Amino acid sequence: MTTLNEFSRCVAQYDPHALPVSAAQAIVREWATPVTAIERVPLRDALDRVLAADIVSPINVPAHDNSAMDGYAFNRAALATGASTVDLTIVGKALAGHPFAGRVEAAQCVHVMTGACMPADCDTVVPQELVERGSGTATIRFAANALSAGANRRLAGEDLARGHAALRAGRIMRASDLGLLASLGIGELSVRRRLRVAFFSTGDELRSLGEPLDPGSVYDSNRYTLYAMLRRLNVDTLDLGVVRDQPAALEAALRSAAASADVVLTSGGVSVGEADFTKQLLQTFGDVAFWSLAMRPGRPLAFGRVWSGAHPGLGLPALFFGLPGNPVAVMVTFYQIVREALLRMSGATPQALPLIHAASRRAIRKRAGRTEYQRGVAEQGANGQWHVTPTGSQSSGVLSSMSEANCFIVLGHDEADIAEGERVDIMLFDGLI
Ligand code: AMP
Ligand code: MG
């Protein structure tokens, strides 16, 4: 068995003390294996779940050729050529759900409403607003060059053809997908079981809500941000509270978390000094890939595997992310490193988060050799151009900067100082956070 540690050492640019973000993402991606268990759920309960198998359309949607407009259906191919106007006699009417059953001869038409089945023999619909209707007579007239054959006709199977994959396995089910499966008559489907993620905070200074704040203590906010970010990914969460800065307590917490979850997330206790201790602990009953990234905020970030037993390989395994303690660093590392892994483990096939170009309204100090995720407020001008202003404090302890911001300003590994007006990449929070 290859260990995570052995695997990581073969990754390009491997440096356990300052691993580039892209290398860290590549390692994590490789070890994020999807859960295999599958559940059958009713259609409504499938919202935000991950589809376990392709859905093959059992029918054509629409089931019949039908009219895309309110108008008159006729046989364009049967019209005499040469005349500048067309005169047709109305021989019947078809509404959605009420087809016209009769025959339609060459100079005849049927009054059709949107969604009505195309009468047999008809291939084209002339929209109501293009015709003159003879008063009192059942005839219509319109310009012959107004339409080509097939106009305003929706074809059977044009939305979904029978036998074709309507949705692919790995898809996260959204509103349109629920509607789409309903249009196929599918009321129940197979999804992956939800990923189970356990998390706890570490730190002697942390107090839970409801406890008094004695001097030097702080409320534990990370468990709330983590809970919310995890809920957005629709995973099952297991909040294991606060664990004190004692090796024995930490080891017990990690092992019991590994026993009950697929992934264990912790915050705090991985910064300089403490990192060695976490690393040693992980090496005794786990497998550690890296513990320091060339990233800001988020430099101290440990990644590995832990087992519920006393040695690596003993008991139940879980993927482990030791996030930094600083509240902003928790959010940044979650979105840049953890999120994709959790989606993959849930069985989804996530796309990279989109980046948008924006002009910076301020000069930004940036050191080459690490990726930075600054908090910014972006706005789009009338000409469509995005501008972004970094929030005041970029300290990784200032959580209000995340609430104030609406995007990350992503400054790449090799980028250096940014001048005012220079183009930067931004990642909008909307739909993400
Ligand atoms: P650490 O990584 O444990 O050294 O923590 C870095 C900073 O983050 C310290 O100021 C901690 O007090 C703070 N911190 C750690 N965990 C939490 C938490 N759960 N909630 C709020 N602040 C935290
Ligand atoms: Mg700490």
mmCIF file with all atom_site columns, all heavy atoms in Angstrom, residues 48 50 172 194-195 227-236 334-335 338-343 346 432:
data_model
loop_
_atom_site.group_PDB
_atom_site.id
_atom_site.type_symbol
_atom_site.label_atom_id
_atom_site.label_alt_id
_atom_site.label_comp_id
_atom_site.label_asym_id
_atom_site.label_entity_id
_atom_site.label_seq_id
_atom_site.pdbx_PDB_ins_code
_atom_site.Cartn_x
_atom_site.Cartn_y
_atom_site.Cartn_z
_atom_site.occupancy
_atom_site.B_iso_or_equiv
_atom_site.pdbx_formal_charge
_atom_site.auth_seq_id
_atom_site.auth_comp_id
_atom_site.auth_asym_id
_atom_site.auth_atom_id
_atom_site.pdbx_PDB_model_num
ATOM 1   N N   . ASP A 1 48  ? -29.883 18.745 -4.389 1.00 0.00 ? 48  ASP A N   1
ATOM 2   C CA  . ASP A 1 48  ? -28.517 18.907 -3.858 1.00 0.00 ? 48  ASP A CA  1
ATOM 3   C C   . ASP A 1 48  ? -27.798 17.588 -3.587 1.00 0.00 ? 48  ASP A C   1
ATOM 4   O O   . ASP A 1 48  ? -26.702 17.582 -3.037 1.00 0.00 ? 48  ASP A O   1
ATOM 5   C CB  . ASP A 1 48  ? -28.491 19.769 -2.585 1.00 0.00 ? 48  ASP A CB  1
ATOM 6   C CG  . ASP A 1 48  ? -28.862 21.213 -2.870 1.00 0.00 ? 48  ASP A CG  1
ATOM 7   O OD1 . ASP A 1 48  ? -28.661 21.663 -4.018 1.00 0.00 ? 48  ASP A OD1 1
ATOM 8   O OD2 . ASP A 1 48  ? -29.362 21.893 -1.950 1.00 0.00 ? 48  ASP A OD2 1
ATOM 9   N N   . VAL A 1 50  ? -26.057 13.858 -4.941 1.00 0.00 ? 50  VAL A N   1
ATOM 10  C CA  . VAL A 1 50  ? -25.226 13.513 -6.087 1.00 0.00 ? 50  VAL A CA  1
ATOM 11  C C   . VAL A 1 50  ? -25.793 12.278 -6.787 1.00 0.00 ? 50  VAL A C   1
ATOM 12  O O   . VAL A 1 50  ? -25.958 11.223 -6.159 1.00 0.00 ? 50  VAL A O   1
ATOM 13  C CB  . VAL A 1 50  ? -23.770 13.249 -5.645 1.00 0.00 ? 50  VAL A CB  1
ATOM 14  C CG1 . VAL A 1 50  ? -22.916 12.852 -6.836 1.00 0.00 ? 50  VAL A CG1 1
ATOM 15  C CG2 . VAL A 1 50  ? -23.200 14.480 -4.953 1.00 0.00 ? 50  VAL A CG2 1
ATOM 16  N N   . ILE A 1 172 ? -24.680 17.087 -9.391 1.00 0.00 ? 172 ILE A N   1
ATOM 17  C CA  . ILE A 1 172 ? -25.368 17.550 -8.184 1.00 0.00 ? 172 ILE A CA  1
ATOM 18  C C   . ILE A 1 172 ? -26.732 18.051 -8.636 1.00 0.00 ? 172 ILE A C   1
ATOM 19  O O   . ILE A 1 172 ? -26.824 18.917 -9.508 1.00 0.00 ? 172 ILE A O   1
ATOM 20  C CB  . ILE A 1 172 ? -24.576 18.661 -7.477 1.00 0.00 ? 172 ILE A CB  1
ATOM 21  C CG1 . ILE A 1 172 ? -23.207 18.117 -7.059 1.00 0.00 ? 172 ILE A CG1 1
ATOM 22  C CG2 . ILE A 1 172 ? -25.352 19.190 -6.276 1.00 0.00 ? 172 ILE A CG2 1
ATOM 23  C CD1 . ILE A 1 172 ? -22.287 19.139 -6.438 1.00 0.00 ? 172 ILE A CD1 1
ATOM 24  N N   . ARG A 1 194 ? -24.816 10.449 1.751  1.00 0.00 ? 194 ARG A N   1
ATOM 25  C CA  . ARG A 1 194 ? -24.151 11.704 2.117  1.00 0.00 ? 194 ARG A CA  1
ATOM 26  C C   . ARG A 1 194 ? -22.810 11.419 2.773  1.00 0.00 ? 194 ARG A C   1
ATOM 27  O O   . ARG A 1 194 ? -22.673 10.470 3.547  1.00 0.00 ? 194 ARG A O   1
ATOM 28  C CB  . ARG A 1 194 ? -25.003 12.478 3.122  1.00 0.00 ? 194 ARG A CB  1
ATOM 29  C CG  . ARG A 1 194 ? -26.115 13.263 2.512  1.00 0.00 ? 194 ARG A CG  1
ATOM 30  C CD  . ARG A 1 194 ? -26.497 14.391 3.467  1.00 0.00 ? 194 ARG A CD  1
ATOM 31  N NE  . ARG A 1 194 ? -27.585 15.159 2.932  1.00 0.00 ? 194 ARG A NE  1
ATOM 32  C CZ  . ARG A 1 194 ? -28.865 14.860 3.118  1.00 0.00 ? 194 ARG A CZ  1
ATOM 33  N NH1 . ARG A 1 194 ? -29.196 13.817 3.853  1.00 0.00 ? 194 ARG A NH1 1
ATOM 34  N NH2 . ARG A 1 194 ? -29.803 15.609 2.589  1.00 0.00 ? 194 ARG A NH2 1
ATOM 35  N N   . LEU A 1 195 ? -21.843 12.287 2.469  1.00 0.00 ? 195 LEU A N   1
ATOM 36  C CA  . LEU A 1 195 ? -20.535 12.204 3.118  1.00 0.00 ? 195 LEU A CA  1
ATOM 37  C C   . LEU A 1 195 ? -20.718 12.596 4.588  1.00 0.00 ? 195 LEU A C   1
ATOM 38  O O   . LEU A 1 195 ? -21.499 13.496 4.889  1.00 0.00 ? 195 LEU A O   1
ATOM 39  C CB  . LEU A 1 195 ? -19.611 13.202 2.420  1.00 0.00 ? 195 LEU A CB  1
ATOM 40  C CG  . LEU A 1 195 ? -18.129 13.081 2.695  1.00 0.00 ? 195 LEU A CG  1
ATOM 41  C CD1 . LEU A 1 195 ? -17.589 11.791 2.085  1.00 0.00 ? 195 LEU A CD1 1
ATOM 42  C CD2 . LEU A 1 195 ? -17.387 14.282 2.113  1.00 0.00 ? 195 LEU A CD2 1
ATOM 43  N N   . TYR A 1 227 ? -19.594 24.649 10.224 1.00 0.00 ? 227 TYR A N   1
ATOM 44  C CA  . TYR A 1 227 ? -20.918 24.029 10.122 1.00 0.00 ? 227 TYR A CA  1
ATOM 45  C C   . TYR A 1 227 ? -21.654 24.589 8.903  1.00 0.00 ? 227 TYR A C   1
ATOM 46  O O   . TYR A 1 227 ? -22.206 23.841 8.090  1.00 0.00 ? 227 TYR A O   1
ATOM 47  C CB  . TYR A 1 227 ? -21.706 24.313 11.409 1.00 0.00 ? 227 TYR A CB  1
ATOM 48  C CG  . TYR A 1 227 ? -23.182 24.063 11.259 1.00 0.00 ? 227 TYR A CG  1
ATOM 49  C CD1 . TYR A 1 227 ? -23.686 22.769 11.351 1.00 0.00 ? 227 TYR A CD1 1
ATOM 50  C CD2 . TYR A 1 227 ? -24.071 25.104 10.997 1.00 0.00 ? 227 TYR A CD2 1
ATOM 51  C CE1 . TYR A 1 227 ? -25.042 22.523 11.179 1.00 0.00 ? 227 TYR A CE1 1
ATOM 52  C CE2 . TYR A 1 227 ? -25.416 24.869 10.827 1.00 0.00 ? 227 TYR A CE2 1
ATOM 53  C CZ  . TYR A 1 227 ? -25.898 23.577 10.915 1.00 0.00 ? 227 TYR A CZ  1
ATOM 54  O OH  . TYR A 1 227 ? -27.233 23.350 10.729 1.00 0.00 ? 227 TYR A OH  1
ATOM 55  N N   . ALA A 1 228 ? -21.634 25.912 8.762  1.00 0.00 ? 228 ALA A N   1
ATOM 56  C CA  . ALA A 1 228 ? -22.391 26.543 7.679  1.00 0.00 ? 228 ALA A CA  1
ATOM 57  C C   . ALA A 1 228 ? -21.808 26.173 6.314  1.00 0.00 ? 228 ALA A C   1
ATOM 58  O O   . ALA A 1 228 ? -22.540 25.882 5.365  1.00 0.00 ? 228 ALA A O   1
ATOM 59  C CB  . ALA A 1 228 ? -22.397 28.056 7.873  1.00 0.00 ? 228 ALA A CB  1
ATOM 60  N N   . MET A 1 229 ? -20.491 26.188 6.205  1.00 0.00 ? 229 MET A N   1
ATOM 61  C CA  . MET A 1 229 ? -19.865 25.867 4.915  1.00 0.00 ? 229 MET A CA  1
ATOM 62  C C   . MET A 1 229 ? -20.141 24.409 4.548  1.00 0.00 ? 229 MET A C   1
ATOM 63  O O   . MET A 1 229 ? -20.368 24.083 3.379  1.00 0.00 ? 229 MET A O   1
ATOM 64  C CB  . MET A 1 229 ? -18.362 26.145 4.968  1.00 0.00 ? 229 MET A CB  1
ATOM 65  C CG  . MET A 1 229 ? -18.054 27.641 5.155  1.00 0.00 ? 229 MET A CG  1
ATOM 66  S SD  . MET A 1 229 ? -16.293 28.051 4.977  1.00 0.00 ? 229 MET A SD  1
ATOM 67  C CE  . MET A 1 229 ? -15.574 27.206 6.363  1.00 0.00 ? 229 MET A CE  1
ATOM 68  N N   . LEU A 1 230 ? -20.132 23.545 5.554  1.00 0.00 ? 230 LEU A N   1
ATOM 69  C CA  . LEU A 1 230 ? -20.393 22.125 5.294  1.00 0.00 ? 230 LEU A CA  1
ATOM 70  C C   . LEU A 1 230 ? -21.844 21.901 4.888  1.00 0.00 ? 230 LEU A C   1
ATOM 71  O O   . LEU A 1 230 ? -22.143 21.120 3.984  1.00 0.00 ? 230 LEU A O   1
ATOM 72  C CB  . LEU A 1 230 ? -20.063 21.292 6.534  1.00 0.00 ? 230 LEU A CB  1
ATOM 73  C CG  . LEU A 1 230 ? -18.571 21.174 6.854  1.00 0.00 ? 230 LEU A CG  1
ATOM 74  C CD1 . LEU A 1 230 ? -18.354 20.618 8.258  1.00 0.00 ? 230 LEU A CD1 1
ATOM 75  C CD2 . LEU A 1 230 ? -17.868 20.291 5.826  1.00 0.00 ? 230 LEU A CD2 1
ATOM 76  N N   . ARG A 1 231 ? -22.756 22.616 5.552  1.00 0.00 ? 231 ARG A N   1
ATOM 77  C CA  . ARG A 1 231 ? -24.177 22.462 5.204  1.00 0.00 ? 231 ARG A CA  1
ATOM 78  C C   . ARG A 1 231 ? -24.421 22.844 3.747  1.00 0.00 ? 231 ARG A C   1
ATOM 79  O O   . ARG A 1 231 ? -25.213 22.211 3.058  1.00 0.00 ? 231 ARG A O   1
ATOM 80  C CB  . ARG A 1 231 ? -25.041 23.327 6.128  1.00 0.00 ? 231 ARG A CB  1
ATOM 81  C CG  . ARG A 1 231 ? -25.297 22.713 7.484  1.00 0.00 ? 231 ARG A CG  1
ATOM 82  C CD  . ARG A 1 231 ? -26.072 21.400 7.374  1.00 0.00 ? 231 ARG A CD  1
ATOM 83  N NE  . ARG A 1 231 ? -27.339 21.605 6.688  1.00 0.00 ? 231 ARG A NE  1
ATOM 84  C CZ  . ARG A 1 231 ? -28.467 21.949 7.284  1.00 0.00 ? 231 ARG A CZ  1
ATOM 85  N NH1 . ARG A 1 231 ? -28.487 22.092 8.598  1.00 0.00 ? 231 ARG A NH1 1
ATOM 86  N NH2 . ARG A 1 231 ? -29.561 22.157 6.593  1.00 0.00 ? 231 ARG A NH2 1
ATOM 87  N N   . ARG A 1 232 ? -23.721 23.880 3.293  1.00 0.00 ? 232 ARG A N   1
ATOM 88  C CA  . ARG A 1 232 ? -23.866 24.297 1.889  1.00 0.00 ? 232 ARG A CA  1
ATOM 89  C C   . ARG A 1 232 ? -23.480 23.190 0.916  1.00 0.00 ? 232 ARG A C   1
ATOM 90  O O   . ARG A 1 232 ? -23.946 23.148 -0.209 1.00 0.00 ? 232 ARG A O   1
ATOM 91  C CB  . ARG A 1 232 ? -22.993 25.530 1.615  1.00 0.00 ? 232 ARG A CB  1
ATOM 92  C CG  . ARG A 1 232 ? -23.602 26.823 2.066  1.00 0.00 ? 232 ARG A CG  1
ATOM 93  C CD  . ARG A 1 232 ? -24.846 27.101 1.243  1.00 0.00 ? 232 ARG A CD  1
ATOM 94  N NE  . ARG A 1 232 ? -25.409 28.385 1.573  1.00 0.00 ? 232 ARG A NE  1
ATOM 95  C CZ  . ARG A 1 232 ? -25.230 29.475 0.858  1.00 0.00 ? 232 ARG A CZ  1
ATOM 96  N NH1 . ARG A 1 232 ? -24.483 29.437 -0.211 1.00 0.00 ? 232 ARG A NH1 1
ATOM 97  N NH2 . ARG A 1 232 ? -25.787 30.597 1.211  1.00 0.00 ? 232 ARG A NH2 1
ATOM 98  N N   . LEU A 1 233 ? -22.579 22.310 1.361  1.00 0.00 ? 233 LEU A N   1
ATOM 99  C CA  . LEU A 1 233 ? -22.151 21.217 0.488  1.00 0.00 ? 233 LEU A CA  1
ATOM 100 C C   . LEU A 1 233 ? -23.027 19.978 0.683  1.00 0.00 ? 233 LEU A C   1
ATOM 101 O O   . LEU A 1 233 ? -22.780 18.935 0.081  1.00 0.00 ? 233 LEU A O   1
ATOM 102 C CB  . LEU A 1 233 ? -20.683 20.856 0.756  1.00 0.00 ? 233 LEU A CB  1
ATOM 103 C CG  . LEU A 1 233 ? -19.660 21.963 0.469  1.00 0.00 ? 233 LEU A CG  1
ATOM 104 C CD1 . LEU A 1 233 ? -18.254 21.421 0.679  1.00 0.00 ? 233 LEU A CD1 1
ATOM 105 C CD2 . LEU A 1 233 ? -19.806 22.503 -0.945 1.00 0.00 ? 233 LEU A CD2 1
ATOM 106 N N   . ASN A 1 234 ? -24.027 20.131 1.557  1.00 0.00 ? 234 ASN A N   1
ATOM 107 C CA  . ASN A 1 234 ? -24.989 19.051 1.774  1.00 0.00 ? 234 ASN A CA  1
ATOM 108 C C   . ASN A 1 234 ? -24.339 17.757 2.258  1.00 0.00 ? 234 ASN A C   1
ATOM 109 O O   . ASN A 1 234 ? -24.682 16.672 1.802  1.00 0.00 ? 234 ASN A O   1
ATOM 110 C CB  . ASN A 1 234 ? -25.790 18.804 0.491  1.00 0.00 ? 234 ASN A CB  1
ATOM 111 C CG  . ASN A 1 234 ? -27.109 18.126 0.803  1.00 0.00 ? 234 ASN A CG  1
ATOM 112 O OD1 . ASN A 1 234 ? -27.622 18.233 1.914  1.00 0.00 ? 234 ASN A OD1 1
ATOM 113 N ND2 . ASN A 1 234 ? -27.640 17.412 -0.166 1.00 0.00 ? 234 ASN A ND2 1
ATOM 114 N N   . VAL A 1 235 ? -23.387 17.911 3.182  1.00 0.00 ? 235 VAL A N   1
ATOM 115 C CA  . VAL A 1 235 ? -22.808 16.714 3.814  1.00 0.00 ? 235 VAL A CA  1
ATOM 116 C C   . VAL A 1 235 ? -23.416 16.573 5.212  1.00 0.00 ? 235 VAL A C   1
ATOM 117 O O   . VAL A 1 235 ? -23.972 17.532 5.739  1.00 0.00 ? 235 VAL A O   1
ATOM 118 C CB  . VAL A 1 235 ? -21.261 16.818 3.930  1.00 0.00 ? 235 VAL A CB  1
ATOM 119 C CG1 . VAL A 1 235 ? -20.634 16.934 2.551  1.00 0.00 ? 235 VAL A CG1 1
ATOM 120 C CG2 . VAL A 1 235 ? -20.838 17.988 4.819  1.00 0.00 ? 235 VAL A CG2 1
ATOM 121 N N   . ASP A 1 236 ? -23.336 15.380 5.782  1.00 0.00 ? 236 ASP A N   1
ATOM 122 C CA  . ASP A 1 236 ? -23.779 15.195 7.169  1.00 0.00 ? 236 ASP A CA  1
ATOM 123 C C   . ASP A 1 236 ? -22.681 15.703 8.089  1.00 0.00 ? 236 ASP A C   1
ATOM 124 O O   . ASP A 1 236 ? -21.501 15.381 7.890  1.00 0.00 ? 236 ASP A O   1
ATOM 125 C CB  . ASP A 1 236 ? -24.025 13.708 7.464  1.00 0.00 ? 236 ASP A CB  1
ATOM 126 C CG  . ASP A 1 236 ? -25.375 13.249 6.953  1.00 0.00 ? 236 ASP A CG  1
ATOM 127 O OD1 . ASP A 1 236 ? -26.248 14.111 6.733  1.00 0.00 ? 236 ASP A OD1 1
ATOM 128 O OD2 . ASP A 1 236 ? -25.546 12.032 6.764  1.00 0.00 ? 236 ASP A OD2 1
ATOM 129 N N   . PHE A 1 334 ? -10.750 26.237 3.548  1.00 0.00 ? 334 PHE A N   1
ATOM 130 C CA  . PHE A 1 334 ? -11.912 25.400 3.244  1.00 0.00 ? 334 PHE A CA  1
ATOM 131 C C   . PHE A 1 334 ? -12.270 25.529 1.771  1.00 0.00 ? 334 PHE A C   1
ATOM 132 O O   . PHE A 1 334 ? -12.443 24.523 1.081  1.00 0.00 ? 334 PHE A O   1
ATOM 133 C CB  . PHE A 1 334 ? -13.110 25.809 4.110  1.00 0.00 ? 334 PHE A CB  1
ATOM 134 C CG  . PHE A 1 334 ? -14.300 24.900 3.919  1.00 0.00 ? 334 PHE A CG  1
ATOM 135 C CD1 . PHE A 1 334 ? -14.457 23.774 4.698  1.00 0.00 ? 334 PHE A CD1 1
ATOM 136 C CD2 . PHE A 1 334 ? -15.246 25.173 2.949  1.00 0.00 ? 334 PHE A CD2 1
ATOM 137 C CE1 . PHE A 1 334 ? -15.535 22.912 4.504  1.00 0.00 ? 334 PHE A CE1 1
ATOM 138 C CE2 . PHE A 1 334 ? -16.329 24.321 2.740  1.00 0.00 ? 334 PHE A CE2 1
ATOM 139 C CZ  . PHE A 1 334 ? -16.470 23.187 3.521  1.00 0.00 ? 334 PHE A CZ  1
ATOM 140 N N   . TYR A 1 335 ? -12.376 26.752 1.266  1.00 0.00 ? 335 TYR A N   1
ATOM 141 C CA  . TYR A 1 335 ? -12.809 26.922 -0.122 1.00 0.00 ? 335 TYR A CA  1
ATOM 142 C C   . TYR A 1 335 ? -11.746 26.519 -1.129 1.00 0.00 ? 335 TYR A C   1
ATOM 143 O O   . TYR A 1 335 ? -12.067 26.002 -2.195 1.00 0.00 ? 335 TYR A O   1
ATOM 144 C CB  . TYR A 1 335 ? -13.292 28.355 -0.373 1.00 0.00 ? 335 TYR A CB  1
ATOM 145 C CG  . TYR A 1 335 ? -14.648 28.535 0.243  1.00 0.00 ? 335 TYR A CG  1
ATOM 146 C CD1 . TYR A 1 335 ? -14.846 29.368 1.323  1.00 0.00 ? 335 TYR A CD1 1
ATOM 147 C CD2 . TYR A 1 335 ? -15.715 27.782 -0.217 1.00 0.00 ? 335 TYR A CD2 1
ATOM 148 C CE1 . TYR A 1 335 ? -16.093 29.466 1.918  1.00 0.00 ? 335 TYR A CE1 1
ATOM 149 C CE2 . TYR A 1 335 ? -16.961 27.861 0.374  1.00 0.00 ? 335 TYR A CE2 1
ATOM 150 C CZ  . TYR A 1 335 ? -17.140 28.706 1.433  1.00 0.00 ? 335 TYR A CZ  1
ATOM 151 O OH  . TYR A 1 335 ? -18.355 28.776 2.025  1.00 0.00 ? 335 TYR A OH  1
ATOM 152 N N   . VAL A 1 338 ? -10.305 22.287 0.771  1.00 0.00 ? 338 VAL A N   1
ATOM 153 C CA  . VAL A 1 338 ? -11.188 21.243 1.306  1.00 0.00 ? 338 VAL A CA  1
ATOM 154 C C   . VAL A 1 338 ? -12.420 21.013 0.437  1.00 0.00 ? 338 VAL A C   1
ATOM 155 O O   . VAL A 1 338 ? -12.834 19.877 0.210  1.00 0.00 ? 338 VAL A O   1
ATOM 156 C CB  . VAL A 1 338 ? -11.631 21.603 2.752  1.00 0.00 ? 338 VAL A CB  1
ATOM 157 C CG1 . VAL A 1 338 ? -12.520 20.516 3.331  1.00 0.00 ? 338 VAL A CG1 1
ATOM 158 C CG2 . VAL A 1 338 ? -10.418 21.826 3.641  1.00 0.00 ? 338 VAL A CG2 1
ATOM 159 N N   . ARG A 1 339 ? -13.009 22.098 -0.036 1.00 0.00 ? 339 ARG A N   1
ATOM 160 C CA  . ARG A 1 339 ? -14.307 22.028 -0.725 1.00 0.00 ? 339 ARG A CA  1
ATOM 161 C C   . ARG A 1 339 ? -14.306 20.994 -1.860 1.00 0.00 ? 339 ARG A C   1
ATOM 162 O O   . ARG A 1 339 ? -15.177 20.132 -1.927 1.00 0.00 ? 339 ARG A O   1
ATOM 163 C CB  . ARG A 1 339 ? -14.657 23.420 -1.265 1.00 0.00 ? 339 ARG A CB  1
ATOM 164 C CG  . ARG A 1 339 ? -15.910 23.460 -2.105 1.00 0.00 ? 339 ARG A CG  1
ATOM 165 C CD  . ARG A 1 339 ? -16.124 24.862 -2.655 1.00 0.00 ? 339 ARG A CD  1
ATOM 166 N NE  . ARG A 1 339 ? -17.240 24.865 -3.555 1.00 0.00 ? 339 ARG A NE  1
ATOM 167 C CZ  . ARG A 1 339 ? -17.172 24.520 -4.843 1.00 0.00 ? 339 ARG A CZ  1
ATOM 168 N NH1 . ARG A 1 339 ? -16.008 24.161 -5.365 1.00 0.00 ? 339 ARG A NH1 1
ATOM 169 N NH2 . ARG A 1 339 ? -18.239 24.525 -5.597 1.00 0.00 ? 339 ARG A NH2 1
ATOM 170 N N   . GLU A 1 340 ? -13.318 21.113 -2.736 1.00 0.00 ? 340 GLU A N   1
ATOM 171 C CA  . GLU A 1 340 ? -13.308 20.210 -3.893 1.00 0.00 ? 340 GLU A CA  1
ATOM 172 C C   . GLU A 1 340 ? -13.173 18.752 -3.444 1.00 0.00 ? 340 GLU A C   1
ATOM 173 O O   . GLU A 1 340 ? -13.804 17.855 -4.004 1.00 0.00 ? 340 GLU A O   1
ATOM 174 C CB  . GLU A 1 340 ? -12.163 20.582 -4.848 1.00 0.00 ? 340 GLU A CB  1
ATOM 175 C CG  . GLU A 1 340 ? -12.243 19.777 -6.129 1.00 0.00 ? 340 GLU A CG  1
ATOM 176 C CD  . GLU A 1 340 ? -11.033 19.943 -7.036 1.00 0.00 ? 340 GLU A CD  1
ATOM 177 O OE1 . GLU A 1 340 ? -10.577 21.089 -7.232 1.00 0.00 ? 340 GLU A OE1 1
ATOM 178 O OE2 . GLU A 1 340 ? -10.563 18.903 -7.537 1.00 0.00 ? 340 GLU A OE2 1
ATOM 179 N N   . ALA A 1 341 ? -12.357 18.533 -2.399 1.00 0.00 ? 341 ALA A N   1
ATOM 180 C CA  . ALA A 1 341 ? -12.182 17.159 -1.906 1.00 0.00 ? 341 ALA A CA  1
ATOM 181 C C   . ALA A 1 341 ? -13.510 16.608 -1.396 1.00 0.00 ? 341 ALA A C   1
ATOM 182 O O   . ALA A 1 341 ? -13.859 15.459 -1.675 1.00 0.00 ? 341 ALA A O   1
ATOM 183 C CB  . ALA A 1 341 ? -11.139 17.138 -0.792 1.00 0.00 ? 341 ALA A CB  1
ATOM 184 N N   . LEU A 1 342 ? -14.266 17.433 -0.674 1.00 0.00 ? 342 LEU A N   1
ATOM 185 C CA  . LEU A 1 342 ? -15.536 16.944 -0.123 1.00 0.00 ? 342 LEU A CA  1
ATOM 186 C C   . LEU A 1 342 ? -16.528 16.653 -1.242 1.00 0.00 ? 342 LEU A C   1
ATOM 187 O O   . LEU A 1 342 ? -17.275 15.670 -1.186 1.00 0.00 ? 342 LEU A O   1
ATOM 188 C CB  . LEU A 1 342 ? -16.127 17.962 0.860  1.00 0.00 ? 342 LEU A CB  1
ATOM 189 C CG  . LEU A 1 342 ? -15.269 18.265 2.097  1.00 0.00 ? 342 LEU A CG  1
ATOM 190 C CD1 . LEU A 1 342 ? -16.040 19.166 3.063  1.00 0.00 ? 342 LEU A CD1 1
ATOM 191 C CD2 . LEU A 1 342 ? -14.822 16.998 2.799  1.00 0.00 ? 342 LEU A CD2 1
ATOM 192 N N   . LEU A 1 343 ? -16.521 17.483 -2.278 1.00 0.00 ? 343 LEU A N   1
ATOM 193 C CA  . LEU A 1 343 ? -17.427 17.233 -3.406 1.00 0.00 ? 343 LEU A CA  1
ATOM 194 C C   . LEU A 1 343 ? -17.052 15.940 -4.117 1.00 0.00 ? 343 LEU A C   1
ATOM 195 O O   . LEU A 1 343 ? -17.905 15.122 -4.453 1.00 0.00 ? 343 LEU A O   1
ATOM 196 C CB  . LEU A 1 343 ? -17.411 18.414 -4.376 1.00 0.00 ? 343 LEU A CB  1
ATOM 197 C CG  . LEU A 1 343 ? -18.091 19.684 -3.852 1.00 0.00 ? 343 LEU A CG  1
ATOM 198 C CD1 . LEU A 1 343 ? -17.883 20.851 -4.812 1.00 0.00 ? 343 LEU A CD1 1
ATOM 199 C CD2 . LEU A 1 343 ? -19.579 19.452 -3.640 1.00 0.00 ? 343 LEU A CD2 1
ATOM 200 N N   . SER A 1 346 ? -18.056 13.052 -2.176 1.00 0.00 ? 346 SER A N   1
ATOM 201 C CA  . SER A 1 346 ? -19.515 12.887 -2.235 1.00 0.00 ? 346 SER A CA  1
ATOM 202 C C   . SER A 1 346 ? -19.940 12.239 -3.542 1.00 0.00 ? 346 SER A C   1
ATOM 203 O O   . SER A 1 346 ? -21.119 11.953 -3.743 1.00 0.00 ? 346 SER A O   1
ATOM 204 C CB  . SER A 1 346 ? -20.210 14.250 -2.110 1.00 0.00 ? 346 SER A CB  1
ATOM 205 O OG  . SER A 1 346 ? -19.884 14.859 -0.888 1.00 0.00 ? 346 SER A OG  1
ATOM 206 N N   . LEU A 1 432 ? -21.236 30.672 -3.603 1.00 0.00 ? 432 LEU A N   1
ATOM 207 C CA  . LEU A 1 432 ? -20.158 29.869 -3.047 1.00 0.00 ? 432 LEU A CA  1
ATOM 208 C C   . LEU A 1 432 ? -20.277 29.837 -1.522 1.00 0.00 ? 432 LEU A C   1
ATOM 209 O O   . LEU A 1 432 ? -20.262 28.793 -0.898 1.00 0.00 ? 432 LEU A O   1
ATOM 210 C CB  . LEU A 1 432 ? -18.817 30.479 -3.470 1.00 0.00 ? 432 LEU A CB  1
ATOM 211 C CG  . LEU A 1 432 ? -17.540 29.863 -2.886 1.00 0.00 ? 432 LEU A CG  1
ATOM 212 C CD1 . LEU A 1 432 ? -17.350 28.463 -3.425 1.00 0.00 ? 432 LEU A CD1 1
ATOM 213 C CD2 . LEU A 1 432 ? -16.325 30.712 -3.261 1.00 0.00 ? 432 LEU A CD2 1
#
